[in-house]
Amino acid sequence: MKPSKLYEALHALIGERVPLHIWGPCGIGKSQIVGQVASDLEYEFLDVRAVQLDPVDLRGLPRICSDQTEWVPPKFLPTSGKGILFLDELTSAPQMTQAGCYQLVLDRRLGEYCLPEGWVVMAAGNPASERGVHFAMPRPLRNRFVHLDLEPDLDDWCQWAIRSRIRPEIIAFLRFKPELLYSGDVNSDANAWPTPRSWEMASRVLTGVAQRQRASFLNGTGEFEAVLLDGTVGQAAASELVAFLRLFRELPSIDEILLNPGTAKVPTEPSAQIAIATALGRVLTDNSVGRGMAYLERMPTEMRVMAMRDAAARDTAITNTPDFVRFGVEYREVLQ
């Protein structure tokens, strides 16, 4: 299931308080998607790492009250409001700790403690094939969840990346090399490999480098930057990214394009066209969209659509401009 479909599934299940377990390899955004849904619904998001708990921790501690023993639940368990109680890395916890979640997941109770009506239990974990710390989920606990498998998807990731201000160089590169969005070889002992999470880190690496160069867009990379990228996404992916970044030396600047949309150089290489279209989608505003579209008219249709989709996703004010309305009418078939 791709992230956008998981997002829809979460909205459907949360309303009915149906427990869900999300399976997927590390670094593809399982917990991030649940957190985003909680934010959109204005729910609290309580991230509990089961691997940090002992089997008795969820129940709490006993105390004597009126000559009887009662259990005091841990402070982190909610007592009011609405929210998602998220048991992250559940399969990294020993089976006795997982067994302690039986009653919480299905009956929404832990001894005398009751989960508030507005809360729902969700969980996530990596499969055993990921070669992390893993304990098989007991069958009784499996039967208490709906199970969904999450897989990375380039289109969904690009939409998220645009909203999250991921660097346009990274977005453009992965559009050119979509197979590198996720390339985890579970049999490899490499310390770094391409995942959606590591590409987000690579974006931050490039931002740090660009700030030192006092540049908005990188004009290639040196040995130092290449080493940093090697340690972020792995040597193979980093070498291809470095080669792609060198294209930016030959591209017209975004300022030049917006100042002279009719005469600025239009690249012929597909990779360079993707880079320019992605960069324009990052910077266009309702004031500059007309000049940007004048330049994009000199590029292939798919590049025009890519740039305008990115710009509209980032700044909805653009969709109200006459230039965008005309564009939408002209390209309504490909925009659907």
Side-chain angles (χ1 to χ4, degrees):
M1 175 176 285
K2 65 181 186 177
S4 59
K5 293 300 182 183
L6 176 61
Y7 182 88
E8 294 178 15
L10 283 166
H11 277 273
L13 297 177
I14 287 173
E16 296 300 319
R17 299 184 305 174
V18 179
L20 169 68
H21 189 282
I22 306 167
W23 296 90
C26 61
I28 64 172
K30 298 183 293 294
S31 56
Q32 196 170 40
I33 294 171
V34 179
Q36 182 60 54
V37 171
S39 176
D40 293 345
L41 293 174
E42 297 184 347
Y43 275 28
E44 292 184 58
F45 180 63
L46 179 57
D47 187 343
V48 177
R49 303 296 169 119
V51 70
Q52 299 174 359
L53 302 176
D54 287 327
V56 297
D57 285 347
L58 285 171
R59 181 93 187 259
L61 294 174
R63 69 180 178 186
I64 303 299
C65 183
S66 301
D67 295 328
Q68 291 183 323
T69 300
E70 66 177 16
W71 289 86
V72 182
K75 187 176 181 180
F76 63 76
L77 289 176
T79 57
S80 62
K82 295 182 178 181
I84 297 175
L85 177 57
F86 186 56
L87 303 175
D88 202 2
E89 300 172 356
L90 182 57
T91 51
S92 294
Q95 289 184 321
M96 285 298 294
T97 301
Q98 294 186 46
C101 300
Y102 284 6
Q103 190 181 25
L104 176 63
V105 173
L106 183 63
D107 300 327
R108 303 168 54 80
R109 300 175 61 90
L110 284 168
E112 299 169 359
Y113 169 80
C114 293
L115 190 67
E117 286 294 313
W119 283 74
V120 62
V121 178
M122 300 283 169
N126 302 323
S129 59
E130 284 295 292
R131 298 172 60 199
V133 176
H134 181 87
F135 295 89
M137 182 181 291
R139 280 177 57 83
L141 184 56
R142 293 185 189 187
N143 193 241
R144 285 162 162 81
F145 282 113
V146 171
H147 296 266
L148 295 177
D149 295 316
L150 179 64
E151 297 178 349
D153 179 83
L154 180 65
D155 290 338
D156 284 357
W157 185 85
C158 286
Q159 291 180 25
W160 168 85
I162 292 163
R163 295 192 301 268
S164 302
R165 309 293 293 177
I166 299 299
R167 292 192 67 85
E169 299 97 319
I170 297 292
I171 300 173
F173 171 69
L174 290 176
R175 281 172 166 163
F176 182 61
K177 289 283 187 177
E179 68 275 10
L180 290 179
L181 174 62
Y182 178 81
S183 183
D185 181 2
V186 295
N187 295 316
S188 171
D189 287 326
N191 292 323
W193 62 93
T195 68
R197 178 165 58 201
S198 60
W199 285 118
E200 180 183 3
M201 287 192 291
S203 175
R204 288 155 52 194
V205 167
L206 294 185
T207 294
V209 173
Q211 287 175 347
R212 288 183 60 84
Q213 294 180 353
R214 297 185 179 182
S216 299
F217 298 98
L218 286 176
N219 293 321
T221 56
E223 182 179 354
F224 172 68
E225 292 82 4
V227 170
L228 292 177
L229 292 171
D230 283 354
T232 307
V233 296
Q235 186 174 8
S239 63
E240 294 202 50
L241 175 60
V242 167
F244 183 85
L245 291 174
R246 290 184 179 130
L247 287 172
F248 280 76
R249 292 178 176 175
E250 303 172 5
L251 299 180
S253 70
I254 299 301
D255 290 339
E256 178 187 351
I257 289 172
L258 295 179
L259 285 173
N260 305 292
T263 58
K265 179 183 176 182
V266 176
T268 57
E269 286 290 325
S271 56
Q273 292 177 349
I274 292 173
I276 285 290
T278 301
L280 279 172
R282 176 69 175 266
V283 302
L284 289 180
T285 66
D286 52 345
N287 293 321
S288 63
V289 64
R291 295 189 295 276
M293 290 180 66
Y295 179 82
L296 289 167
E297 286 295 328
R298 302 165 57 203
M299 298 183 71
T301 299
E302 59 268 27
M303 301 303 163
R304 295 197 289 272
V305 173
M306 179 190 299
M308 296 312 296
R309 275 180 172 166
D310 287 0
R314 179 184 51 80
D315 183 3
T316 55
I318 289 175
T319 61
N320 298 320
T321 62
D323 294 299
F324 187 89
V325 171
R326 286 194 295 271
F327 176 85
V329 171
E330 184 176 355
Y331 295 97
R332 59 185 179 277
E333 293 183 0
V334 293
L335 285 172
Q336 292 177 352

